[in-house]
Amino acid sequence: MRNRFFPVLILLCAALVPRSAIGAQNRNNDGRFWAELPASAHPVRNETLPDFVTLAAKLSPTVVNISTEEAATKSEQPGGGPGGGPLGPFFGPAPQPSRSLGSGFVITKDGYILTNDHVVADATRITVATKDGTQYIAKVIGHDEKSDIALIKINPKHDLPVAPLGNSSDVKVGQWVMAIGNPFGFDHSVTVGIVSAKGRFIPGNYDDFIQTDASINPGNSGGPLIDLRGEVIGVNSAIYTRTGSSMGIGFAVPINIVKEELDQLRATGHVERGWLGVYIQRVTPDLAQSLGLGAAKGALVAEVLKDGPAKDAGVRRGDVIVDYDGRPVGDSRELPLMVGHTPIGKTATLKIIRDGKPIDLKVTIRPSREAELASLERPSKQQPFGTASAFGLYVKDLNPSLAKQMGLSAHHGVVISSVKPGSGADDAGLQARDIILEVNRHAVGDVKSYQREIDAGKGKVVLLLVKRGDNTIYVALKPKA
């Protein structure tokens, strides 16, 4: 097995080049070819760190520790597996509930608390401990899996200190931030860092996260990310790690997204978002080339859902959405956020590229349907047989007998039976059991018509429309040198 990282020490030696050998045209007035600020641009000042002591003292009382209990499943019950536990198959130990720890922060003096949905999801009992050690039993008022936000409520004995909510749109990369939480059970731990980036996307999530290098570990989930004004700008939600501990890359849900949801969470217990009714995919450079686009931008429509707003507006499969209601769509992941923030019933303008031409369409946004918003799924099993190949792709005519054998719902067409490892098809992500519907925008119904279209596009990027499960996606096959 090849190692992915190698410690290497490299000594670089080079001959010195006389200054006169450097082209005069590359030098500035001081004889340098690099830029430096003049001395007058460096005012003398005493650099001091922010007053984190005051900030921590002010905000720590607003942060709570959250512990949950979840009923044990059969696989978690001692003695619940094959053959039972040490006392035999019928007399195993009693099931033990699982426990987890997280954080939250108070947003109203009468006990409304914000945390992550994953902290309280499936909990049978939620216990909240305040800074003074008082414990309360909490109930879930509302939660939203897509933004990973939950609103819970306790009934305090007195008014609670409140964490003020800020404006995450004003956050700047490089500014100081502070996190407070319950990492590994160490309550009210304070860490500091800076905002490392904004607009980070994590697969499967609705948010464009704030990234920070403030130390965030398991147990910090649901705690506040705080700016120097003492306002909450994010809800700490996730970390990137290879060890299970902080590696300096943490993510927080922007508080402005949370504020948009709070009224709905309190009133109805869930969040209703705008819905377009399409499956989309990223426009890769290869897809951009095959679609005749000038740049790899926008959201490629892989499928238009029946009876959805996009269908009513005239959107077609293969359209590329490049602008939504006056805002450019640079990355396909931006579009669901734009649509989700649109008020239900509003009519928005879609700018699409169809067959190389721009078209404006009016679409009326309707409430979301969670089933249609589910991610594209990839089947895990592959069948290693086939008869025809191109790009390392083996296909067969699909008939009812083969469809039954492969567990497919469709009964006719061209089905991928296997993909050669390392081939262009493998690089493009094609899989066995994918059904090919089109080649270069031409419908194919059998291997003969499929091969004819493949041959017609020889030496160029070939665009396939593929049905995978209940969804369709576009895939660009690039010929290898």
Side-chain angles (χ1 to χ4, degrees):
M1 186 175 187
R2 182 180 301 174
N3 292 326
R4 296 186 62 185
F5 301 98
F6 299 92
V8 179
L9 178 63
I10 301 177
L11 300 179
L12 298 178
C13 300
L16 294 176
V17 179
R19 182 176 175 183
S20 59
I22 302 175
Q25 69 275 15
N26 293 329
R27 295 198 297 267
N28 59 24
N29 293 334
D30 296 323
R32 296 186 299 266
F33 64 90
W34 61 89
E36 292 185 4
L37 291 175
S40 58
H42 296 280
V44 178
R45 60 186 180 189
N46 294 322
E47 297 289 348
T48 60
L49 287 173
D51 185 4
F52 294 118
V53 174
T54 301
L55 202 59
K58 179 181 177 182
L59 272 299
S60 284
T62 72
V63 178
V64 300
N65 298 334
I66 299 176
S67 59
T68 63
E69 293 184 8
E70 182 180 342
T73 63
K74 184 176 181 181
S75 61
E76 294 170 332
Q77 297 173 10
L87 299 179
F90 303 107
F91 302 99
Q96 298 297 313
S98 60
R99 293 178 172 84
S100 62
L101 296 174
S103 305
F105 55 98
V106 181
I107 61 170
T108 66
K109 62 183 180 180
D110 60 342
Y112 281 97
I113 294 169
L114 272 176
T115 186
N116 284 144
D117 176 60
H118 77 259
V119 170
V120 297
D122 302 320
T124 56
R125 181 183 176 91
I126 303 171
T127 303
V128 169
T130 55
K131 181 77 182 291
D132 61 9
T134 307
Q135 293 191 350
Y136 302 91
I137 299 301
K139 65 176 181 179
V140 177
I141 301 301
H143 67 99
D144 182 61
E145 183 180 359
K146 288 195 170 296
S147 61
D148 195 20
I149 291 298
L151 180 67
I152 64 176
K153 177 73 166 64
I154 61 175
N155 295 315
K157 301 173 182 178
H158 51 75
D159 288 351
L160 298 176
V162 173
L165 306 186
N167 183 358
S168 53
S169 295
D170 291 341
V171 172
K172 302 292 190 295
V173 174
Q175 77 175 60
W176 284 101
V177 286
M178 182 175 72
I180 307 177
N182 186 32
F184 300 110
F186 294 100
D187 63 285
H188 292 84
S189 295
V190 176
T191 56
V192 298
I194 63 168
V195 172
S196 305
K198 294 177 63 179
R200 293 295 198 207
F201 292 98
I202 300 176
N205 287 270
Y206 178 77
D207 312 303
D208 53 343
F209 289 87
I210 298 171
Q211 181 184 329
T212 179
D213 67 352
S215 184
I216 297 175
N217 286 288
N220 274 109
S221 290
L225 188 68
I226 303 161
D227 64 14
L228 293 183
R229 297 174 58 183
E231 295 178 328
V232 178
I233 58 168
V235 182
N236 299 320
S237 181
I239 60 173
Y240 178 84
T241 179
R242 292 175 177 167
T243 64
S245 301
S246 175
M247 295 182 66
I249 301 179
F251 300 97
V253 181
I255 203 64
N256 284 7
I257 289 179
V258 179
K259 289 193 289 187
E260 290 178 1
E261 299 180 356
L262 279 178
D263 287 337
Q264 291 190 65
L265 289 175
R266 187 174 65 167
T268 67
H270 65 275
V271 176
E272 187 176 65
R273 293 190 178 88
W275 179 60
L276 194 56
V278 293
Y279 283 119
I280 58 173
Q281 64 184 96
R282 187 170 67 92
V283 178
T284 65
D286 289 344
L287 283 172
Q289 180 182 344
S290 62
L291 291 167
L293 301 175
K297 296 181 179 180
L300 173 60
V301 178
E303 184 173 355
V304 182
L305 298 174
K306 187 178 180 181
D307 300 326
K311 181 76 170 178
D312 295 343
V315 177
R316 300 177 188 173
R317 186 167 56 199
D319 290 345
V320 179
I321 301 172
V322 296
D323 188 280
Y324 177 80
D325 217 25
R327 289 174 290 172
V329 180
D331 188 303
S332 61
R333 295 171 296 186
E334 298 171 354
L335 183 61
L337 293 173
M338 295 176 180
V339 177
H341 292 160
T342 304
I344 305 301
K346 178 182 177 180
T347 298
T349 301
L350 291 178
K351 178 169 286 186
I352 65 169
I353 303 297
R354 178 183 297 166
D355 298 326
K357 299 177 182 177
I359 301 174
D360 286 345
L361 298 174
K362 297 291 184 180
V363 59
T364 301
I365 301 302
R366 300 210 296 263
S368 63
R369 295 196 225 148
E370 292 303 312
E372 283 81 356
L373 290 174
S375 301
L376 296 175
E377 294 181 352
R378 293 192 174 191
S380 58
K381 295 182 180 179
Q382 297 187 1
Q383 298 291 337
F385 55 88
T387 56
S389 67
F391 297 96
L393 190 63
Y394 292 80
V395 299
K396 289 180 72 77
D397 285 329
L398 184 62
N399 55 51
S401 175
L402 182 59
K404 183 177 180 181
Q405 180 183 354
M406 298 182 71
L408 301 172
S409 57
H411 291 166
H412 300 283
V414 180
V415 63
I416 298 174
S417 56
S418 65
V419 179
K420 182 180 179 181
S423 65
D426 188 31
D427 293 344
L430 288 169
Q431 303 173 0
R433 299 185 180 182
D434 288 346
I435 299 172
I436 299 173
L437 303 176
E438 294 179 2
V439 177
N440 286 333
R441 309 302 292 273
H442 295 118
V444 293
D446 53 28
V447 172
K448 184 177 180 180
S449 59
Y450 158 83
Q451 197 62 52
R452 182 172 60 249
E453 295 299 334
I454 288 289
D455 292 341
K458 210 166 211 179
K460 300 178 181 178
V461 175
V462 173
L463 183 66
L464 300 184
L465 177 64
V466 173
K467 183 176 180 64
R468 179 173 294 164
D470 294 329
N471 307 307
T472 55
I473 58 174
Y474 281 98
V475 176
L477 288 179
K478 191 173 184 179
K480 289 200 169 186

